[in-house]
Amino acid sequence: MPKEPEQACPIAPVVDIVFSRWTTPILWTLHEHGRQRFVELQRRIGAVTPKVLTQRLRQLERDGLVCRTYHPEVPPRVEYEISDLGRSLGPLFATLATWSAENLPEVERARLHYDGAEAATTGPR
């Protein structure tokens, strides 16, 4: 009987939490730029839609990686910042950034080699 991914790989739950589509850019941006309002965060991240950003921020707040502060002003003001738990991911992100800088060129070469070999064995379409 096949194992569940969490049993087969003990870091699978962490990968699900930290490396979903928009989580990493959100955490990276909050870590780099500090506390931000929603619009500032969206502008810095770029292509994320307001709906998706709202969903991801809620999930990150639920997971304890982001803190949301509501200021009951007129108009109301909401700010987001990375929590201590979220900040604890900094060394992991730093290691991945180093790995990326050192290894992504090799990954690209491997892809080009693979794609060339694949094209040679399948022939023209």
Side-chain angles (χ1 to χ4, degrees):
M1 176 175 237
K3 288 184 176 182
E4 292 295 319
E6 294 80 16
Q7 295 170 334
C9 176
I11 67 165
V14 176
V15 171
D16 277 349
I17 292 167
V18 177
F19 297 108
S20 65
R21 174 76 169 107
W22 291 104
T23 297
T24 308
I26 291 168
L27 292 174
W28 187 278
T29 301
L30 289 173
H31 180 73
E32 287 292 309
H33 300 282
R35 182 181 302 167
Q36 296 173 64
R37 295 178 75 169
F38 184 90
V39 174
E40 294 171 309
L41 187 56
Q42 184 182 17
R43 185 176 28 235
R44 283 196 167 110
I45 292 173
V48 64
T49 65
K51 178 183 176 184
V52 170
L53 182 56
T54 298
Q55 290 170 341
R56 293 309 313 147
L57 284 167
R58 285 184 182 153
Q59 186 62 49
L60 289 168
E61 184 181 7
R62 180 176 182 258
D63 291 339
L65 301 175
V66 167
C67 298
R68 178 183 182 269
T69 304
Y70 175 80
H71 301 277
E73 305 168 348
V74 178
R77 181 169 50 104
V78 177
E79 296 176 318
Y80 297 91
E81 63 185 313
I82 194 167
S83 69
D84 288 341
L85 182 60
R87 204 170 285 110
S88 73
L89 292 166
L92 172 64
F93 288 160
T95 300
L96 287 171
T98 300
W99 188 92
S100 295
E102 293 173 356
N103 294 292
L104 282 183
E106 181 63 25
V107 169
E108 186 57 30
R109 283 191 294 278
R111 288 175 177 171
L112 291 171
H113 176 74
Y114 179 90
D115 292 348
E118 184 75 13
T121 59
T122 59
R125 292 183 181 220

